[in-house]
Amino acid sequence: MSFSDSDTSSTGGDYKSFKQISRDRLLHEMLRSTKTGDSKSTWKVLIMDKVTVKVMSYSCKMADITEEGVSLVEDLFRRRQPLPTMDAIYFIQPSRENVVMFLSDMSGRVPLYKKAYVFFSSSVPQDLVKIIKSDTSVIGRIGALREMNLEYFAVDSQGFITDNERALEELFGQNVENSRKYDACVNVMASRIATVFASLREFPFVRFRAAKSLDASTVTTFRELVPTKLAAAVWNHIAQYKKNIANFPQTETCEFLILDRSIDQIAPIIHEWTYDAMCHDLLNMEGNKYVHEVPSKTGGQPEKKEVLLEDHDPVWLELRHAHIADASERLHEKMTNFVSKNKAAQIHHSSRDGSELSTRDLQKMVQALPQYSEQIDKLSLHVEIAGKINKIIRDTGLRELGQLEQDLVFGDAGTKEVINFLRTKQDATPEYKLRLLMIYSAVYPEKFEGDKGLKLMQLARLSPDDMNAVNNMRLLEGFTDSKKSSSGGFSLKFDAQKKKLGVRKDRTGEEETWQLSRFYPMIEDLIEKLGKGELPKDEYSCMNDPSPTVHGTSQSTSVRTTQAPGAAHSMRSRRTATWARPRNSDDGYSSDSVLRHASSDFKRMGQRIFVFIIGGATRSELRVCHKLTTKLKREVILGSSSLDDPPNFITKLKLLTAQDLSIDDLHI
């Protein structure tokens, strides 16, 4: 097996962002590399399996693939038309069934394709290599046989998932101790995480949240061992890469921290008030797809149109991490400034008062129309979305609930306020009441011991299904109990001397201009401690240490002291998640500059920090990684088994004790 070289680690070469590297490897290192000899100018077929097609779709657009000479994309397991005059590119997982299917395509007197270029998404077991080499009729028809080692899903410019949607259930559910799904889930996650480091040519310090100290008085559960087991499995893959991949670093180049969902039970449930999070929480979006109605071009009924809220939309890119109130204000400013400075918009605007347009006005409008149409469509879309969100907030009384949620987390509210809300807000939606009680149970778990929580849940009129979700929070308490005093950040209560209870302290030095912007996910503190070398070694072990008893200066300190010299390099404000940042006047077009200069954000950066959360990550945690990239001058990349919005996470939580149910069977 060969492996094309690419200098992508954060220790040298031109610094490219995580998603750029993923895209470049797929398009250039894989697709473009097949343009050799007599195959240079011919169109090809791209064949993928159900996993690799998702890998490709998260990183590349169809237009990108076509530009690299692919005229047809096929499913490996669908019946395909023979094209014996065309070459085929196979991007597949190294499984036995995939290899058998590939050999079936290319063997015999008349193969399906003229020549095959085969790229595997992860390391190929030796027994499969032998099977391929033993088929002499196929060997001569293979143009390339390589391990791409790229089997993760780049859901964000700084985020990826391993697509283990049932990780929470398989690793933290009841009776996981003797489950084959437990080991299978850990192994798939580890293999896919490892390909991130292979792709970026990074050799990490592997830190993980350690289980309790093993002594006679404690029993370590399978749930507590998940980060340890995953760290060991990732480490084994990386050890193989060091031996087998050309130019793979032999010394540490970055830091990698493995956590699980028990470190922060509140972030997946609490209402996050940024534009991105509100869109996915309140608008029933399918992934990043938003469906809205547009006027019919023929004058009939409005037509439904799908749009993707992704990085290619400059308005989305600029506003996604802004507080919803800030985003709404800025959209209003943009629209106002756009109308005042764009001739066609002015005419379009003035024509709405009923006055007729002159021929001269129409001429001016036509001249300005192409640019006007594109700009106004983008702005109008986001004005509509923000308007819908604000209406839901008003109609459902969400602002009051949001205030109570944050007061609970910071210790400014307790049982009295929760009971008062449940009694006076009988019309609150079942979902809102459920989420409030889940937060309450995370802050005050002792209030739900035995049957104590039953009266509260009855007062909230929760269904038995929803009660199950609240009760299942205990399965995510993990091993916080033993560390209440030492970890500070994870304690369910603060020190006894403090008068108020809570699971968060207000962050110093950060002003709260927008209401309800007080909450922050726990990983914000953790990543900053990691960056300063302040993570306790007894709670966050390191696989790279010669033994678990090594103390004193953390080895990860060496990573920080070798940072690139550009620590003072300023970053663009789009990555700054401060919701109160000052704004200059906006002409309605300035969002485009966000896209033009996005790549320059990463020049002269320090070494990367990777964080992986087992059991699902949240949009607030992804936002924090963008924010800390700016603050620390180091690209912070968030990985997880899945990216979950609150309704989705609650459904998964119910599955922890559900028997023989699928995710599709449960709704909140």
Side-chain angles (χ1 to χ4, degrees):
M1 298 284 156
S2 65
F3 191 106
S4 313
D5 295 338
S6 58
D7 189 3
T8 57
S9 77
S10 50
T11 56
D14 286 339
Y15 201 111
K16 291 184 177 178
S17 72
F18 162 71
K19 196 166 185 177
Q20 276 179 304
I21 291 167
S22 308
R23 180 178 178 274
D24 287 355
R25 289 199 65 224
L26 291 168
L27 295 178
H28 304 158
E29 192 176 317
M30 186 172 77
L31 299 184
R32 192 174 294 179
S33 70
T34 64
K35 296 181 178 180
T36 56
D38 60 354
S39 180
K40 200 164 190 175
S41 60
T42 57
W43 289 96
K44 295 181 179 62
V45 183
L46 174 61
I47 299 149
M48 295 179 282
D49 59 39
K50 64 182 180 181
V51 168
T52 54
V53 74
K54 287 179 74 174
V55 171
M56 180 69 80
S57 64
Y58 273 115
S59 292
C60 308
K61 303 292 182 199
M62 192 62 209
D64 301 328
I65 298 168
T66 305
E67 202 169 302
E68 295 302 331
V70 171
S71 62
L72 184 63
V73 175
E74 295 268 41
D75 182 333
L76 179 66
F77 285 92
R78 288 253 176 105
R79 188 177 180 87
R80 284 166 278 128
Q81 177 188 354
L83 297 166
T85 61
M86 292 182 75
D87 292 343
I89 301 167
Y90 286 81
F91 179 37
I92 55 177
Q93 290 182 287
S95 67
R96 182 173 292 272
E97 59 180 349
N98 283 1
V99 168
V100 167
M101 184 62 75
F102 154 67
L103 292 174
S104 168
D105 288 350
M106 296 305 296
S107 60
R109 284 186 5 190
V110 185
L112 248 58
Y113 310 105
K114 183 180 176 184
K115 187 176 279 190
Y117 297 84
V118 185
F119 299 89
F120 290 107
S121 57
S122 56
S123 299
V124 186
Q126 282 303 307
D127 61 324
L128 294 185
V129 177
K130 287 177 184 174
I131 291 173
I132 295 169
K133 287 184 175 179
S134 66
D135 194 327
T136 53
S137 68
V138 173
I139 287 293
R141 295 166 181 163
I142 296 177
L145 195 63
R146 296 183 189 168
E147 291 174 342
M148 280 299 288
N149 286 314
L150 201 163
E151 199 176 288
Y152 53 86
F153 309 86
V155 295
D156 183 82
S157 58
Q158 288 173 230
F160 71 92
I161 58 170
T162 56
D163 204 29
N164 295 95
E165 284 290 339
R166 300 192 76 145
L168 203 66
E169 173 195 356
E170 291 169 356
L171 302 177
F172 298 93
Q174 286 184 325
N175 307 317
V176 296
E177 284 77 0
N178 301 307
S179 166
R180 278 195 289 183
K181 288 180 179 179
Y182 181 100
D183 289 331
C185 182
V186 169
N187 291 336
V188 169
M189 266 195 294
S191 172
R192 291 179 180 173
I193 290 166
T195 67
V196 172
F197 297 106
S199 258
L200 273 63
R201 286 296 199 280
E202 295 276 21
F203 176 22
F205 281 102
V206 180
R207 303 285 299 274
F208 59 96
R209 191 173 185 213
K212 291 175 187 171
S213 301
L214 294 175
D215 58 48
S217 66
T218 59
V219 178
T220 304
T221 68
F222 269 63
R223 295 185 194 97
E224 293 173 78
L225 287 171
V226 173
T228 308
K229 286 177 175 287
L230 182 61
V234 171
W235 182 256
N236 289 339
H237 284 287
I238 288 170
Q240 291 301 310
Y241 291 157
K242 279 183 72 179
K243 287 193 287 186
N244 301 331
I245 294 180
N247 297 338
F248 193 83
Q250 298 301 300
T251 56
E252 290 85 350
T253 61
C254 64
E255 295 182 88
F256 178 38
L257 178 62
I258 297 175
L259 307 166
D260 64 53
R261 196 59 270 167
S262 69
I263 60 124
D264 191 347
Q265 303 162 53
I266 294 169
I269 301 159
I270 196 168
H271 284 91
E272 159 86 352
W273 290 77
T274 54
Y275 186 43
D276 179 7
M278 285 266 144
C279 285
H280 288 88
D281 192 356
L282 303 182
L283 297 183
N284 297 319
M285 287 173 56
E286 185 182 327
N288 291 328
K289 190 191 300 176
Y290 174 74
V291 180
H292 68 127
E293 290 187 343
V294 294
S296 170
K297 291 177 181 176
T298 59
Q301 291 291 318
E303 299 171 357
K304 287 195 173 181
K305 184 180 178 182
E306 292 181 356
V307 290
L308 293 175
L309 301 181
E310 291 181 332
D311 289 5
H312 66 270
D313 178 347
V315 180
W316 172 254
L317 202 58
E318 182 186 338
L319 299 180
R320 61 180 175 168
H321 294 151
H323 189 284
I324 182 61
D326 187 20
S328 301
E329 279 189 17
R330 287 157 74 176
L331 283 167
H332 179 74
E333 287 175 20
K334 282 176 180 292
M335 192 62 94
T336 303
N337 290 332
F338 184 86
V339 168
S340 68
K341 295 182 180 181
N342 186 292
K343 292 177 183 176
Q346 284 176 27
I347 295 165
H348 185 75
H349 187 69
S350 63
S351 68
R352 292 186 176 183
D353 62 11
S355 57
E356 288 191 6
L357 295 173
S358 68
T359 307
R360 177 69 177 156
D361 286 340
L362 286 170
Q363 185 182 14
K364 285 180 184 176
M365 189 170 181
V366 170
Q367 287 169 346
L369 193 58
Q371 187 181 28
Y372 157 70
S373 177
E374 182 184 350
Q375 291 291 328
I376 205 74
D377 280 354
K378 285 178 183 173
L379 283 177
S380 296
L381 170 68
H382 289 285
V383 167
E384 176 191 315
I385 293 172
K388 272 190 182 178
I389 291 170
N390 284 317
K391 186 176 188 304
I392 292 170
I393 291 169
R394 284 193 308 273
D395 292 352
T396 61
L398 184 54
R399 193 172 284 111
E400 186 178 347
L401 172 66
Q403 189 64 58
L404 178 54
E405 288 177 345
Q406 301 212 4
D407 286 346
L408 271 175
V409 172
F410 285 91
D412 296 328
T415 308
K416 178 184 172 185
E417 288 80 6
V418 171
I419 291 173
N420 184 57
F421 181 89
L422 294 176
R423 281 180 174 159
T424 59
K425 304 292 179 185
Q426 295 282 345
D427 57 342
T429 68
E431 181 196 337
Y432 285 3
K433 290 187 280 192
L434 169 60
R435 287 165 70 170
L436 176 64
L437 285 184
M438 290 174 80
I439 292 167
Y440 180 63
S441 74
V443 180
Y444 300 99
E446 70 279 4
K447 302 286 188 184
F448 285 78
E449 290 172 0
D451 295 330
K452 290 181 186 176
L454 187 60
K455 287 184 179 178
L456 267 178
M457 291 191 279
Q458 288 172 340
L459 176 62
R461 298 180 183 175
L462 294 189
S463 67
D465 200 31
D466 286 348
M467 288 184 186
N468 201 35
V470 179
N471 291 328
N472 284 352
M473 293 287 283
R474 64 185 165 76
L475 295 173
L476 293 186
E477 284 175 20
F479 36 104
T480 51
D481 298 346
S482 65
K483 297 181 179 175
K484 283 182 181 180
S485 59
S486 60
S487 66
F490 303 121
S491 62
L492 293 170
K493 301 177 185 177
F494 287 127
D495 297 338
Q497 301 94 321
K498 293 194 167 68
K499 289 183 180 178
K500 67 179 188 177
L501 301 174
V503 288
R504 295 292 189 281
K505 297 176 184 176
D506 283 303
R507 291 177 64 82
T508 56
E510 294 192 12
E511 56 180 323
E512 182 199 340
T513 298
W514 298 103
Q515 189 185 18
L516 302 168
S517 61
R518 190 179 177 189
F519 178 80
Y520 60 91
M522 199 56 80
I523 67 162
E524 185 163 357
D525 275 350
L526 279 175
I527 295 169
E528 290 199 278
K529 285 180 180 176
L530 179 66
K532 295 173 185 173
E534 294 175 358
L535 272 187
K537 291 290 289 271
D538 59 332
E539 293 176 31
Y540 297 92
S541 304
C542 184
M543 292 295 297
N544 310 55
D545 285 347
S547 77
T549 58
V550 174
H551 293 288
T553 306
S554 165
Q555 287 201 33
S556 59
T557 305
S558 63
V559 176
R560 287 180 296 281
T561 55
T562 55
Q563 279 185 38
H569 179 65
S570 65
M571 307 287 285
R572 284 188 56 79
S573 61
R574 78 166 177 91
R575 294 196 182 277
T576 307
T578 304
W579 293 332
R581 60 177 177 262
R583 304 191 302 277
N584 299 321
S585 62
D586 196 319
D587 60 2
Y589 297 93
S590 63
S591 299
D592 293 320
S593 64
V594 173
L595 286 178
R596 285 199 301 272
H597 298 292
S599 60
S600 68
D601 286 3
F602 291 99
K603 290 179 181 176
R604 299 167 60 201
M605 293 279 274
Q607 291 170 311
R608 291 184 175 102
I609 294 173
F610 297 82
V611 180
F612 190 87
I613 302 175
I614 305 162
T618 69
R619 293 180 193 278
S620 61
E621 288 161 336
L622 194 53
R623 169 179 62 78
V624 158
C625 290
H626 284 272
K627 171 183 175 179
L628 292 180
T629 292
T630 304
K631 185 173 181 178
L632 304 178
K633 305 295 185 286
R634 297 170 68 177
E635 186 182 12
V636 182
I637 296 166
L638 178 67
S640 185
S641 45
S642 56
L643 184 62
D644 294 331
D645 301 308
N648 188 233
F649 179 79
I650 293 168
T651 297
K652 290 180 179 182
L653 205 58
K654 292 176 182 178
L655 283 170
L656 293 186
T657 51
Q659 299 296 319
D660 303 319
L661 286 177
S662 73
I663 288 176
D664 296 330
D665 295 328
L666 289 171
H667 302 283
I668 64 166

